[in-house]
Amino acid sequence: MSRSRSIFIILTITAITLLAIWRISYLKFDYDFEKFFPVGNEESDFYFDFREKFETDNDFIIVGLVNQNGAFDSLFLAKADSLTRVLRTIPDMEEVVSPTDMSEVMRDPVFGGIFKRPVLSWQDGAEALKADSARVLSNELYRSTFFSPDGTAIAINMKHKQGLSKKACDDVAIAVQNAIAPFGFDESHIIGRSLGQKIYVETMAREMIIFITVSLILTIIFLLVAFRSFWNILLPTLVVLIAIVWTLGAVELLGHDIDIMLTILPTILFVIGMSDSVHILSRYLELLRKGLPKQEAIRQSVRDTILPTFLTAITTAIGFGTLIYNSIEPVSHFGTYISLGVLLAFCISYLLLPAGLSLVPPPAPDSRLFTNDFWTPRLHKWFRWILRNRKRLLWSLPVVVLAFGWIASTIRVNNYMLEDLENDHFLKKEFRFVEEKFSGARPFEMAIQLDQNADLWNPEVLHVLDSLDQFLRNQYGVGAMFSAPALIKSANKSLNGGQEGYYSIPDSLDIMAIQKLLRRKEFAEAFALVYHDETKTLRYTGKVGDLGRDYFEKKNSELKQFTNQFQNAGMTFRVTGTAHLIDYNNAYLVENMLFDIILSILAVALVVGLMFGSLRTALLTLIPNVIPLAGIAAFMALAGIDIKISTSIIFNIAFGIAVDDTIHFMGKLKLLQMRGYRKNYAVKRTFISTGKAIILTTLILCAGFVSLIFSSFMGTFYVGLLVTLTLLMALVADLLYSPVLVLTFGKDKKLKPPKNHQALPED
């Protein structure tokens, strides 16, 4: 490559990079878990329509306050009441319900007038407060919703405006934290989407920088050990950094933000992009050792490596590209931008690296790069061992795959609301507090659709609905329950002077009075949140513990059995809500995971078969890569790592990267056969020369992915751990089984050399 052309390429790449850096300055971080709901899916569509009728189940904030001497203390409740007034002044806060100013609507049993009675008479002395405490702790409407059963904590329940922007949610979260701080409660706890989103985004931004830094340091260390040259470290590093910058610039140009999945994009591109450069540099240095001039070595190294690296770029892009058609937006974006980044890294490698090498001096002939070859004698020894154990290795292949497959069959499919956080994380502790002291923080939503012939005010219908209410409370475990039967029973109680014995579904004679009371402002707004009169849709809402998808699958099965007895009552029952959709999405992703992997395998087989012109070669390329996929699934089963949204994409990542080594092996083998070598000798030379590059690139890949284990998000941690293990398994499988498979099943015919190709006798 001429000097002027090299300078032109470098200046052009620099200009594009500066443009991308300018666009990156506009990038934002975003965490909206609702984007993980499938687009155009029937379950998602039903929930969004249901939410339009009522409200979202996730725009809430719960503030838990603890008094070690008991919550029913006048001084403590006075501070809580002052805090309540401050919380109501926060912009975008729509509702603040506090135990200190809640009241019950009553009808005077003598004069018939309607009046309000405070739930807690905390200003009327210790005796009145003691009597009220006994009453509220025995009431299912208040216990575990506003008061902890042990009487040590209260909960202030709030709702902010729906659909707030990221900044508005941050402002609400900060305002709530600032409001609580001056009061000095024994303990204060906050949970809610606005606070969780704020902490997630801050953590994502911080960890993205950590991942890039750790990957950079570890990769430079490996490059230093492998190449021991300033330029041989700088040029590959620039290649991958530029590929990352271009890809992030594309993310912004296409109008997207950095979500929790895209935080690992730089790390993946860093290690994948480095692989191309390592193969080019390894071949370049090998040719220099054979005595070729620098420019000829550059041309020959590009010619020798471009086919296999192009194939690896295409197959890796395909591995991630199968995710593009996923109906879950963050997963689709992840597949899109990783695929784009891989192809950009390939292009930049074959533009910048040859241009850079042509402008910098080659290593000195007396440098350690020429005099010290660590891997060659060891790979010779390894290859001789493979030849001696060829039959044993061949028979061990199906045994290993079947053993891994049998273990992998025990893997569980499960997920939790906060599964992405470590147990000692601040948000996890806040969730545990709400679960221990109150009803939990996982939303529960259920829709009941009445037929045209079913009337809500029919006593038989109401009794069915009330039995469902009781089942959900007592058998399903729903706390903080809010439903039409609960409001109707509360209204009946109010009409009868607040007597607990009247907290029940009334007989037909009282229905008109109940309806009239529910039209009053005190009840009307609340009733509209549980019954949509126009469509005759009922809503049951509450909170449950974060007990996992497995647990709620069993509970939903029990619920279905319970509701089946009312098939002729003119009602349709359906669980919905954000938590249910998270569970559903997890199952949806897992169901599609196998399809995506099969699609990736078929697509890779097609590309390899077309490029090599041989179905046999395509099969020999794929077979060794079954081992790491089955092996990592077996490891997950043994380690108790469940299949969930965060771990289901690991197989696509692992396959897309792991198959690259095998393609490099087959590409080098074809090249040697085209130069006239017989199969056995070509396999040996391939094993020795490509083996070094495969080992080095695998170590660099592992170094990059290991950085992800420092994440606070368990999903990211598992990507780092499991992909690293998969790559190590793939390395062992390639160096053990690829030579055996080719020697046993590969064709031993010479391929016709291309025109004007000059073979190197030293190869």
Side-chain angles (χ1 to χ4, degrees):
M1 182 179 293
S2 67
R3 182 179 180 84
S4 59
R5 180 178 294 180
S6 298
I7 293 174
F8 174 77
I9 290 173
I10 291 173
L11 290 177
T12 302
I13 290 175
T14 301
I16 298 173
T17 303
L18 291 174
L19 176 64
I21 291 173
W22 171 59
R23 297 311 309 174
I24 288 173
S25 65
Y26 294 97
L27 263 180
K28 298 176 183 177
F29 287 87
D30 178 47
Y31 178 72
D32 182 358
F33 75 90
E34 289 195 7
K35 290 181 179 177
F36 282 89
F37 299 159
V39 177
N41 179 271
E42 197 269 339
E43 284 282 346
S44 299
D45 292 344
F46 178 86
Y47 168 68
F48 292 138
D49 179 66
F50 180 75
R51 186 169 68 181
E52 285 294 317
K53 294 184 177 73
F54 300 104
E55 63 178 353
T56 177
D57 64 350
N58 201 45
D59 287 330
F60 68 87
I61 298 177
I62 298 175
V63 173
L65 304 174
V66 176
N67 189 43
Q68 300 298 346
N69 296 323
F72 298 99
D73 174 84
S74 295
L75 293 177
F76 168 72
L77 292 172
K79 286 201 297 182
D81 190 61
S82 298
L83 171 61
T84 300
R85 290 196 294 271
V86 175
L87 293 172
R88 289 200 174 109
T89 65
I90 295 175
D92 295 320
M93 193 67 74
E94 287 193 332
E95 183 180 51
V96 179
V97 182
S98 172
T100 61
D101 62 1
M102 289 192 306
S103 59
E104 299 174 312
V105 177
M106 299 293 169
R107 184 172 68 177
D108 190 298
V110 178
F111 300 104
I114 300 295
F115 67 95
K116 291 183 179 180
R117 181 181 73 181
V119 171
L120 278 184
S121 304
W122 57 272
Q123 296 172 311
D124 295 342
E127 289 301 318
L129 188 56
K130 182 178 180 180
D132 287 342
S133 68
R135 178 169 52 83
V136 297
L137 289 179
S138 63
N139 190 310
E140 65 182 24
L141 290 177
Y142 304 132
R143 186 182 64 252
S144 297
T145 304
F146 298 100
F147 303 91
S148 64
D150 63 4
T152 62
I154 64 171
I156 301 174
N157 289 265
M158 299 175 283
K159 288 190 294 187
H160 56 72
K161 288 182 180 178
Q162 298 184 39
L164 289 181
S165 66
K166 164 69 173 57
K167 184 182 182 304
C169 280
D170 287 352
D171 291 342
V172 168
I174 293 169
V176 172
Q177 289 175 312
N178 292 340
I180 297 171
F183 287 94
F185 293 102
D186 290 347
E187 289 181 36
S188 60
H189 303 266
I190 310 171
I191 68 163
R193 182 176 71 87
S194 57
L195 177 64
Q197 178 177 268
K198 176 177 178 292
I199 293 174
Y200 263 66
V201 170
E202 289 173 352
T203 305
M204 285 159 50
R206 182 175 66 253
E207 291 192 348
M208 190 171 178
I209 296 173
I210 293 173
F211 298 154
I212 295 174
T213 303
V214 174
S215 297
L216 181 62
I217 293 171
L218 292 175
T219 302
I220 288 175
I221 291 173
F222 276 107
L223 290 174
L224 181 62
V225 171
F227 298 123
R228 304 182 184 91
S229 165
F230 171 77
W231 292 112
N232 290 345
I233 295 172
L234 178 63
L235 290 176
T237 303
L238 284 176
V239 166
V240 293
L241 289 177
I242 291 170
I244 292 169
V245 168
W246 286 19
T247 307
L248 291 177
V251 172
E252 197 283 329
L253 281 171
L254 293 174
H256 297 136
D257 298 324
I258 299 294
D259 57 40
I260 192 169
M261 296 193 70
L262 288 181
T263 56
I264 64 175
L265 179 146
T267 300
I268 293 177
L269 291 185
F270 202 99
V271 295
I272 293 175
M274 190 65 71
S275 175
D276 294 339
S277 298
V278 167
H279 281 284
I280 297 171
L281 275 176
S282 296
R283 183 58 178 162
Y284 169 68
L285 293 173
E286 184 180 357
L287 293 170
L288 287 178
R289 292 191 193 103
K290 298 179 187 299
L292 267 70
K294 183 180 78 169
Q295 292 299 333
E296 180 59 29
I298 293 172
R299 283 192 292 270
Q300 187 72 34
S301 63
V302 169
R303 190 158 52 237
D304 289 352
T305 59
I306 194 167
L307 175 61
T309 49
F310 174 71
L311 278 177
T312 57
I314 292 295
T315 53
T316 302
I318 289 172
F320 288 103
T322 56
L323 300 174
I324 294 174
Y325 301 101
N326 196 295
S327 61
I328 296 176
E329 185 178 292
V331 176
S332 176
H333 289 170
F334 178 78
T336 300
Y337 291 116
I338 295 291
S339 299
L340 175 62
V342 167
L343 297 176
L344 287 175
F346 169 80
C347 295
I348 295 168
S349 295
Y350 279 90
L351 288 172
L352 182 60
L353 201 58
L357 289 174
S358 68
L359 295 176
V360 301
D366 59 347
S367 71
R368 295 179 65 187
L369 281 173
F370 288 93
T371 59
N372 185 14
D373 188 359
F374 174 83
W375 289 109
T376 297
R378 288 164 176 79
L379 288 169
H380 271 289
K381 186 176 180 180
W382 191 337
F383 188 74
R384 287 194 295 269
W385 181 87
I386 289 174
L387 291 178
R388 290 195 301 269
N389 295 275
R390 178 173 163 181
K391 290 185 178 179
R392 291 191 185 94
L393 287 171
L394 192 63
W395 283 109
S396 70
L397 179 58
V399 174
V400 170
V401 172
L402 290 173
F404 281 160
W406 177 73
I407 298 171
S409 66
T410 63
I411 198 169
R412 291 196 319 161
V413 179
N414 197 20
N415 62 275
Y416 296 84
M417 288 285 289
L418 289 186
E419 64 188 358
D420 248 354
L421 300 178
E422 297 172 322
N423 286 330
D424 60 349
H425 193 281
F426 164 73
L427 286 179
K428 205 71 168 284
K429 291 178 180 178
E430 298 293 80
F431 255 66
R432 279 201 297 269
F433 168 81
V434 174
E435 291 189 345
E436 291 168 1
K437 293 292 185 179
F438 300 100
S439 301
R442 174 186 162 115
F444 172 84
E445 295 280 313
M446 187 173 186
I448 298 91
Q449 182 64 55
L450 300 182
D451 293 347
Q452 290 301 317
N453 296 327
D455 181 11
L456 172 64
W457 302 105
N458 183 322
E460 292 183 4
V461 172
L462 284 174
H463 281 293
V464 169
L465 294 173
D466 187 41
S467 67
L468 173 62
D469 189 293
Q470 296 305 313
F471 178 88
L472 291 173
R473 291 178 191 273
N474 301 324
Q475 266 65 53
Y476 198 101
V478 182
M481 189 76 170
F482 188 39
S483 65
L487 276 178
I488 291 170
K489 291 190 290 185
S490 294
N492 190 45
K493 174 184 170 183
S494 297
L495 290 173
N496 290 276
Q499 298 179 62
E500 292 296 334
Y502 285 92
Y503 185 73
S504 60
I505 298 297
D507 58 37
S508 58
L509 297 176
D510 297 324
I511 292 296
M512 293 298 293
I514 294 287
Q515 288 178 298
K516 183 178 179 180
L517 182 61
L518 290 178
R519 284 194 289 268
R520 290 179 60 95
K521 182 180 179 181
E522 294 88 345
F523 280 98
E525 291 181 1
F527 197 66
L529 294 177
V530 292
Y531 181 62
H532 192 260
D533 185 59
E534 186 177 334
T535 58
K536 302 180 73 173
T537 306
L538 289 132
R539 175 194 183 207
Y540 284 58
T541 182
K543 298 289 191 298
V544 291
D546 190 17
L547 302 175
R549 175 179 174 272
D550 275 357
Y551 174 86
F552 286 109
E553 270 202 337
K554 295 173 184 174
K555 286 298 178 182
N556 288 338
S557 178
E558 294 174 9
L559 176 59
K560 185 173 180 60
Q561 290 180 7
F562 176 80
T563 56
N564 281 343
Q565 63 184 303
F566 307 122
Q567 288 181 345
N568 298 323
M571 306 177 197
T572 304
F573 305 88
R574 182 167 185 166
V575 175
T576 186
T578 54
H580 173 71
L581 279 179
I582 290 173
D583 291 347
Y584 174 82
N585 293 347
N586 190 67
Y588 172 85
L589 270 180
V590 171
E591 289 171 2
N592 285 271
M593 178 187 68
L594 185 59
F595 172 78
D596 289 340
I597 292 172
I598 293 173
L599 182 61
S600 296
I601 292 173
L602 292 176
V604 168
L606 177 63
V607 171
V608 173
L610 290 174
M611 295 301 294
F612 285 108
S614 169
L615 177 61
R616 184 193 301 260
T617 302
L619 292 175
L620 294 179
T621 300
L622 295 176
I623 290 172
N625 292 285
V626 175
I627 295 175
L629 291 180
I632 202 61
F635 176 83
M636 291 174 66
L638 291 173
I641 302 172
D642 299 331
I643 293 287
K644 59 194 79 172
I645 290 176
S646 56
T647 57
S648 63
I649 63 168
I650 286 170
F651 296 95
N652 291 80
I653 296 174
F655 177 75
I657 298 174
V659 75
D660 292 356
D661 289 344
T662 319
I663 290 173
H664 278 290
F665 186 95
M666 295 298 180
K668 177 67 173 179
L669 178 67
K670 177 180 179 180
L671 182 65
L672 291 176
Q673 287 185 302
M674 290 174 67
R675 289 176 176 171
Y677 293 114
R678 305 294 299 184
K679 180 177 69 174
N680 288 3
Y681 185 74
V683 171
K684 176 185 175 182
R685 292 304 309 158
T686 299
F687 186 85
I688 302 302
S689 61
T690 307
K692 290 183 286 186
I694 288 175
I695 292 171
L696 183 57
T697 54
T698 298
L699 292 177
I700 290 174
L701 288 166
C702 291
F705 278 104
V706 160
S707 68
L708 301 181
I709 68 174
F710 298 104
S711 175
S712 301
F713 299 119
M714 296 307 295
T716 306
F717 167 85
Y718 284 133
V719 169
L721 173 65
L722 298 176
V723 173
T724 299
L725 291 175
T726 306
L727 293 173
L728 292 174
M729 291 183 198
L731 174 65
V732 174
D734 279 323
L735 295 181
L736 280 180
Y737 292 109
S738 289
V740 172
L741 289 170
V742 173
L743 288 170
T744 306
F745 301 106
K747 287 188 178 181
D748 190 16
K749 69 176 183 178
K750 297 180 182 180
L751 300 174
K752 184 179 180 181
K755 292 182 179 180
N756 303 321
H757 182 86
Q758 295 180 358
L760 296 175
E762 295 88 348
D763 276 343

